[in-house]
Structures are given as C-alpha cells and as structure tokens.
Amino acid sequence: MRLLEALRRLPKPVTAMRLAAETEISTRQLYRDIATLRAGGVLIDGTAGYGYTLTEDPALPPQSFSRLEIEALMLGIASLGDFGDTALATAGRNALARIVATLPDRQARQAAHATMRSWRPPEPRAAITIDLALLREACWDEFSVRIAYRDANERMTEREILPLGLSYSPRTLMLVAWCLLREAHRTFEVPRIVAIERGGHSFRPRRVRLLRDYVALRTAEWKAKAPTA
C-alpha cells in the first residue's frame, strides 16, 4: 500500500531508488514488490534504471473531470501551501495524487500541465506551537479541549472550550469555539494558544448547531454595520 501511494503521488517516472527511500525498503525488496503488484493486476510501466509509472490502479475507481474541474482541483490543492499548515498541504497533495491516478491518460496529462497557479506575496505568519492534529481531532470528534491562551495584551488565561471549526487565511489561523468559562462564542488566534490538552466534555451532536448559531450571530452583526442605501 505504501508503494502504491508513492507511485500515485511522486512525479513520473519514479526511480527505484526514490521509491525505495519513500517506502523505507531496499531496492532488492522494491523490485520484488513491483513484480508482486504487477502479478496482482496493477499496470506499472517502466524498468529498473529508467523509472516506474502507475498507468492503471485497480484499487481506485475510474474518474472523469472536465478541464476546468481539473484546473480547479490543482489550484485549490496548491493554494493550501499558502496557509502554512504543512500537514494539511501534504494531505491535499496525497489526495490529489489518488485522484489523478484514476484519470484517463488525456486528463492526467492535463493535470500534469495545468495552466493556473496560486501565488501570493509572502507574508509573515506567527508560528503555531501546539499540536494541530489534536485540535482538528477535537473538532471532528466533538470533545472539549483545555487551552492556555495569550491575548493581544499578553495576558494569560486558561479555559476549557468546545472547538467548532478552523478558519484559514494567509495571515493567521483562527479557531471558532464555545467557551465554557464565558458561556458564549469566542474566536482565538491559534498561534496565541500556548498549550492544549484534551478536556473532559463531549458535545456531540451540538457542533453543527453551535456553529450555525455563530454564523447567524456574525451575519446579523455585519448587516447591522453595513451602510444603508
């Protein structure tokens, strides 16, 4: 499975040395694994000394997209790197590799030579020091977290929150949450969270409702501030 993943993800053709390094096996074992995959029906073009290309992957169903849809996928995944979240950007590239592996040959070539690119002038971003994986897991699985937070005035507070969602921008990463201390919605700059640990409360299935309430609250505030005609 690691070998198939590498063949989907890495630029083609992929040398045996690169594949062996990615999958942490010897080149001798790699040649045996290539032979095993081929015997199982996976179509892998190429030879030792030249490189390998995965031309048909039976583990994935065939997909078909328009040229504009392919450009949208390539552009969207590439823009993840602008947010400075390395794990999310890597996950996006891996997912895109699996999608491209299911495309017909003509569409796969379109993906390899997409005409649209994402670029923004580099902006300074505050470093994130907490475990983002824990924060994402708390949002997905709907459990509380306890955080130590340094606000814009450098005051430290500790509180338990229900994390509802993350908001990405080129400048910073924001967390929308329900604060158990204040019993109200709050937003936190993730780089200002200096410590995080799992809390003791589950709020399933309240996340969607709490997030919907937050959006309604902010929408009402924006409408109230909007100039009238």
Side-chain angles (χ1 to χ4, degrees):
M1 294 303 294
R2 292 203 313 272
L3 179 54
L4 275 174
E5 178 66 27
L7 283 166
R8 296 175 188 132
R9 173 170 46 85
L10 297 173
K12 282 70 172 171
V14 196
T15 65
M17 185 175 297
R18 178 72 185 279
L19 285 170
E22 286 286 329
T23 53
E24 300 179 341
I25 58 175
S26 67
T27 52
R28 183 185 298 271
Q29 180 63 48
L30 175 75
Y31 297 141
R32 288 198 292 264
D33 289 348
I34 292 285
T36 299
L37 288 174
R38 283 171 166 167
V42 180
L43 296 186
I44 301 173
D45 287 342
T47 58
Y50 171 71
Y52 296 97
T53 299
L54 181 64
T55 58
E56 185 173 325
D57 186 348
L60 298 174
Q63 300 284 340
S64 182
F65 298 94
S66 70
R67 177 175 293 182
L68 190 59
E69 288 171 337
I70 291 173
E71 292 280 358
L73 285 169
M74 302 298 292
L75 186 64
I77 296 300
S79 67
L80 291 177
D82 296 331
F83 299 132
D85 187 334
T86 303
L88 190 63
T90 299
R93 289 193 297 270
N94 291 343
L96 183 60
R98 287 198 291 273
I99 293 172
V100 172
T102 70
L103 296 177
D105 185 61
R106 178 178 61 84
Q107 293 179 351
R109 289 197 301 271
Q110 291 173 358
H113 302 287
T115 61
M116 301 180 188
R117 294 290 183 268
S118 172
W119 184 85
R120 291 186 179 94
E123 298 182 31
R125 292 177 60 92
I128 295 174
T129 59
I130 64 166
D131 182 3
L132 265 182
L134 173 60
L135 189 53
R136 277 192 277 257
E137 182 185 2
C139 292
W140 291 329
D141 293 343
E142 300 174 17
F143 60 80
S144 67
V145 292
R146 287 185 286 270
I147 63 171
Y149 187 74
R150 179 184 293 112
D151 67 17
N153 296 317
E154 300 301 317
R155 293 177 301 214
M156 290 291 300
T157 60
E158 295 184 0
R159 64 187 77 194
E160 189 167 1
I161 61 173
L162 310 181
L164 305 179
L166 293 165
S167 176
Y168 286 80
S169 76
R171 187 183 67 83
T172 191
L173 177 60
M174 301 296 294
L175 170 66
V176 178
W178 178 265
C179 178
L180 295 179
L181 177 65
R182 304 299 184 190
E183 295 189 345
H185 289 96
R186 291 289 185 269
T187 56
F188 303 93
E189 290 190 40
V190 175
R192 293 187 175 277
I193 302 176
V194 298
I196 184 172
E197 64 180 13
R198 184 172 182 135
H201 296 84
S202 170
F203 59 103
R204 180 169 292 176
R206 296 171 56 203
R207 190 183 75 86
V208 172
R209 180 177 60 79
L210 287 169
L211 195 54
R212 187 185 298 119
D213 291 346
Y214 172 81
V215 172
L217 177 66
R218 290 292 175 260
T219 301
E221 291 177 351
W222 294 331
K223 288 181 177 180
K225 294 178 181 178
T228 57

